[in-house]
Amino acid sequence: MSSFSIEKPQLPTHSTDSQQVRIASQIIFWSSSVAEQMEPLMGVLSHLQVVEIGSSAATSYCARLFADFGADVQKVEPPSGDPLRRSSPLTHGGQSAWFAFLNFNKSSIIIDPAAPDASRRLTTLIKDCDIVVDGRDVDSADCPSIDIPAIRQLRPGLIYLEASWFGREGPYAGFAATDSTVRALAGLIKLVGPVEGPPSHAPDFQTGILAGLWGFVAAASSTLARIRGQAGRSWSLSIFESSLALSEYLMFEAFARRDVIRRSGINRFWPGFPVGIYETRKGRLGVTIVTPAQWRSFCEMLDLLELRDDLALVLGEDRLKHMGRFEQQFMPRLRARTAPEWFAEGLRRKIPMVPVPEMSDLLQDTEKKARGAIAPIVLGEEAGFAAGSMQQLTLTPPRRGGKVPALDEQQRFARTRKHQSSSASSADFIDAGRLPLDGIRVIDFSMGWAGPFCTRSLADLGADVIKIEAIQYPDWWRGVDRRSAYVDEYMYEKAMPFCIMNRNKRGITLDLKRPEGLGLAKRLLAGADMVVDNYSVDVLRKLGLGYDVLRELNPRLVMMSMSAFGAGSVHRDCRGYGTTFEQGSGLPSVIGNAGGPPTMTHVAFGDPVGGLNGCAAAMVALIHARKTGQGQFIDLALVDCMIPFASPWITVHSIGGSPAMRYGNRHPQFVPHGCFRCAGEDNWIVVAVTDTEMWQRLAVLLGRLDWLNDESLKSAEARRAIEDGIESGIATWTLTRDADDAMTELQAVKVAAGVVRLPVDLLTDRHLKSRAFLQDVERAFIGLHPQPSMPIREGATPYAIHSAAPTLGQHNTDIMAGLLGLSDTEMAQLEREGIIGTAMLSERDLAKAKKAPSK
């Protein structure tokens, strides 16, 4: 990795105008120097031209991911600009920090819809491109009319992606929506916040990132398929369904347990404990204790030996029942040291703990800047930082920062433009019925959520994913309980999270610590396109499967390591879970009420986010490998993948030095905006007013003619001055109504509103049912069970799920005999020696195996 030769000037906490001018000029100089040193001369996607139309965060982020790797992205805007240019929070110079994150390294082209040649100009632009990313269903942004089907008929190679809040069909299809109302409906708010309520949620910078990643995966997989002779594809993307990647775990745990999970309090989450953020002598500390061994080490570290030795507290779910009492015991002890001191102690004891940074801490993190996770950007006359690219490909790295385009500004980069002939017909393409990743083989060493979610997505898109476990140490999401009763009852085959994350894969067992197992793994890797692991750094290397070895074995192999902080990090040995990545991202420091503690927003938020980023990185590397025959190493730091959710605050703080304002359930731009109690026990609805017309419709619905007739209240800032009174009026109205009835009434007059659902409610959601989002799959040990679809689809129905998650070692014979050519005798010998098998070893059997002499 390159290192900087110019030191970035430190930003003061508060600064004068003259200081800001001086700092801005220094940052601009520093930014250009960084670009010279670290930007690749030619991006791996520089052969692609992308046209972005309409306005949505999802499509903007999707297109920016293409720009990160060199694509020429032409952003079509009206004369007034993309409405997102006016999104809060704003910098001192009035620039939108959110727009900046979504759009640097693009070009802007104005097409005035009032001009007589507007449609012709846009048609010509699209006819000459490879990919169209369309956000018009979210906000048309005065985009001229365009006949996409007609253009695709002329250009069968054209890839088209359209995004909408809820999809074109279904009960919610016409709903007015915002990020927060969608997250409410997606089950991502109700379990967060104080027990008595209201549920808490972050401002609107989540669904666009999640949906943008999904959109990129769809369009990039089509690009890969087109290289291999397939036609372009037309995708529809549901922003609502994209968010369900975060809800899946709790949704299907509730299905399996026939139980309803309740809100536990701020920074408390079912089913683990302790999982949260705690105060230390200096700074806050994120703690995630999952396994029995981690609980024992945590108790020993704090000298709580009585808790350590209590056999009734082995599992997190049992500890959660007594969380208040336990917190009283360990929280005072955590105040004895600083967060960095506890972090060092956690590394030594292999406990997942991490300091919770403020924005200023992130901006002083030289490692994140060196990796490009925090990158320099220029916004007009201002310069600062934003979240960069998380997809750290070592051979074909992304751009490190860039410039946000002014209206109608073209940015020039090195290109390898090679247009596909526009005269190509459907007959010129082969295998039209194949899935995008058909013919790609992936060897999957990952466990838990992030890695398996990445490889599941590859499998859903047609890749042949071979999951490798060991009977000694199978995927820990089968369960960490190794007691005989758990193993003998095959409970490890009934773990719903494992089944959800590993469908459409084939599964084998191999003991990689034995030469025979290692040799078979190498034979599989020699014929593979990609290998994925999310072990701690160096695990595969120590087993003899490091990238230096695999590169010699298979030069076209793409290897992705998905570790907590990255293989090149000074914190490379830190262990972490999805909660750890959220804790370490900076996001909790800007969530919650002013004066309150840093607040986490989801259970294991970082796992699915990391998995999606991994899938996006895989697409880029596979495109490069198909074009050149060269594989490469991907060093994905899962904590970095969470930084985009804090990007607007990073930018504002880097330019002005002012601390981020925490809005609670309010919003920096929309007034009113909040979570309101409805009739019944713990029933809530999120209501958001996004413009003057919506405010007036709300006033009429609530019978508040005083609000309607007050001309001054057309301004959001004027309404902010009486926000308490407005919220009280809304709460009076919602409290007498069933939550679904309230949503129906509000949506009938086009006021953005969403019922605050529990994840389990999604199993019976009428909109998801109408779109066949949940598919029933049969599997041994658990029978018929629902599986979620991808939020991207080519037609009216989602891609079919063709196989359930494998039982342990289910495909040993298919792969080792069928693919590797082993005989029945060789297979039997491997099974006798415990190198392969189909049954998990209990603690007792594992101890016996360790004592047995090696052969």
Side-chain angles (χ1 to χ4, degrees), residues 575-811:
R575 301 192 173 202
Y577 298 96
T579 43
T580 313
F581 314 143
E582 182 182 1
Q583 292 159 353
S585 69
L587 179 61
S589 71
V590 296
I591 305 301
N593 295 315
T599 302
M600 296 167 61
T601 59
H602 299 295
V603 176
F605 191 0
D607 277 315
V609 171
L612 277 173
N613 276 276
C615 193
M619 296 299 173
V620 178
L622 289 169
I623 288 171
H624 177 261
R626 282 285 166 169
K627 288 171 59 182
T628 66
Q630 291 180 300
Q632 63 180 302
F633 182 72
I634 304 173
D635 180 20
L636 194 80
L638 294 170
V639 70
D640 287 356
C641 296
M642 287 296 300
I643 292 175
F645 297 95
S647 187
W649 291 281
I650 292 171
T651 299
V652 169
H653 188 77
S654 70
I655 292 174
S658 55
M661 183 177 291
R662 300 168 71 186
Y663 286 88
N665 281 347
R666 290 179 174 178
H667 194 277
Q669 184 174 354
F670 305 145
V671 183
H673 183 284
C675 187
F676 302 94
R677 188 183 291 275
C678 296
E681 182 183 354
D682 200 34
N683 293 326
W684 305 83
I685 189 170
V686 169
V687 180
V689 169
T690 62
D691 55 39
T692 300
E693 291 74 20
M694 191 178 291
W695 162 250
Q696 292 174 323
R697 294 194 297 272
L698 176 68
V700 171
L701 177 65
L702 270 59
R704 293 300 299 263
L705 298 183
D706 53 330
W707 293 352
L708 180 66
N709 296 327
D710 189 336
E711 288 292 315
S712 70
L713 295 183
K714 290 183 177 180
S715 159
E717 287 310 306
R719 295 196 296 273
R720 196 177 297 283
I722 60 166
E723 199 162 9
D724 287 342
I726 293 174
E727 289 176 351
S728 178
I730 296 172
T732 298
W733 184 85
T734 60
L735 192 58
T736 62
R737 286 165 171 78
D738 171 81
D740 277 276
D741 291 343
M743 181 173 71
T744 298
E745 290 187 63
L746 288 160
Q747 289 289 353
V749 295
K750 294 297 181 183
V751 172
V755 174
V756 181
R757 304 276 194 217
L758 283 168
V760 69
D761 297 334
L762 298 168
L763 294 169
T764 54
D765 183 272
R766 65 184 189 275
H767 182 77
L768 296 178
K769 185 176 182 180
S770 74
R771 288 173 53 79
F773 178 79
L774 296 174
Q775 303 182 45
D776 286 333
V777 175
E778 183 73 34
R779 184 182 184 274
F781 296 101
I782 61 174
L784 200 67
H785 66 286
Q787 287 268 353
S789 301
M790 290 189 295
I792 47 177
R793 56 180 70 185
E794 292 189 72
T797 57
Y799 278 7
I801 296 167
H802 58 76
S803 63
T807 56
L808 192 62
Q810 179 179 339
H811 299 100

Side-chain angles (χ1 to χ4, degrees), residues 145-168:
S145 60
I146 190 81
D147 190 343
I148 294 292
I151 296 173
R152 292 196 72 245
Q153 196 164 17
L154 293 172
R155 290 280 320 277
L158 181 68
I159 297 164
Y160 176 67
L161 173 81
E162 66 169 353
S164 59
W165 284 116
F166 297 99
R168 292 286 189 179

